[in-house]
Amino acid sequence: MPDSDHAIAATFAPHDHQQCAHRALDEAAARLTEQGARLTPVRRRTLEILLESHRAMGAYEVLDRLAAEGFGRQPPVAYRALEFLVTHGLAHRLQRLNAFAACLHPGHDHHPAFLICRSCDKVAEAAAAPIRDALTAVAAQGGFRVERATIEALGLCATCAAGGVA
């Protein structure tokens, strides 16, 4: 995963979001080509919707957007597209929010920790290897083998904190 500290700061700071969205979309297309998978129109549009901002979106919010653009109003339309994106490493499912966020580093296999601002709802990916290693070590001491863990932290981003959000 690219420089995590810079990526976190960039996610929460005002910036040209179209540039990072275009980069992530290009990386996603390349990844799918390597995997022999296809980015159908509904999958592509779903990913574009997720990439419009650095926040997580619920499946029904995505479905409403897809339906408004003529992709159909049946929940499986959104759920299939979202599941495809998660399966292929192009999006992440955030358990705490019951929502999905575009992966901002789809060219890299990783399992990030998610930093979620409780005020602006933006989500940043942070390198989680040290946290996962510590969790695995603690679990192993008790004879437990971690197979999967989702690490999500709720707090305030620097922008919201500076704006006086309590």
Side-chain angles (χ1 to χ4, degrees):
M1 198 159 129
D3 179 15
S4 187
D5 293 341
H6 175 70
I8 293 167
T11 296
F12 291 120
H15 65 284
D16 179 5
H17 186 70
Q18 282 192 327
Q19 182 180 13
C20 62
H22 285 298
R23 179 194 45 76
L25 194 57
D26 289 345
E27 287 181 16
R31 182 179 182 109
L32 288 177
T33 299
E34 289 172 13
Q35 295 174 349
R38 215 172 123 238
L39 197 58
T40 64
V42 71
R43 291 171 181 167
R44 180 181 185 84
R45 186 60 192 131
T46 300
L47 182 56
E48 289 170 346
I49 289 168
L50 291 177
L51 284 167
E52 287 175 358
S53 66
H54 287 290
R55 67 179 194 82
M57 298 178 76
Y60 279 92
E61 188 177 358
V62 172
L63 177 62
D64 288 344
R65 294 281 305 280
L66 290 171
E69 296 175 23
F71 286 101
R73 186 162 290 286
Q74 299 301 316
V77 170
Y79 279 109
R80 277 191 222 121
L82 289 165
E83 186 59 37
F84 174 88
L85 296 175
V86 169
T87 298
H88 290 278
L90 307 178
H92 301 289
R93 182 177 178 130
L94 296 143
Q95 303 299 324
R96 183 180 205 302
L97 302 175
N98 192 26
F100 300 84
C103 177
L104 297 178
H105 310 289
H108 308 274
D109 283 325
H110 64 288
H111 300 282
F114 300 100
L115 307 177
I116 305 164
C117 180
R118 66 174 168 78
S119 177
C120 67
D121 293 326
K122 288 185 180 175
V123 177
E125 295 180 22
I131 299 166
R132 288 181 187 286
D133 292 346
L135 178 61
T136 299
V138 168
Q141 290 174 3
F144 185 85
R145 187 180 77 211
V146 175
E147 293 178 349
R148 188 176 79 194
T150 301
I151 301 165
E152 301 176 10
L154 183 66
L156 284 174
C157 70
T159 303
C160 290
V165 174

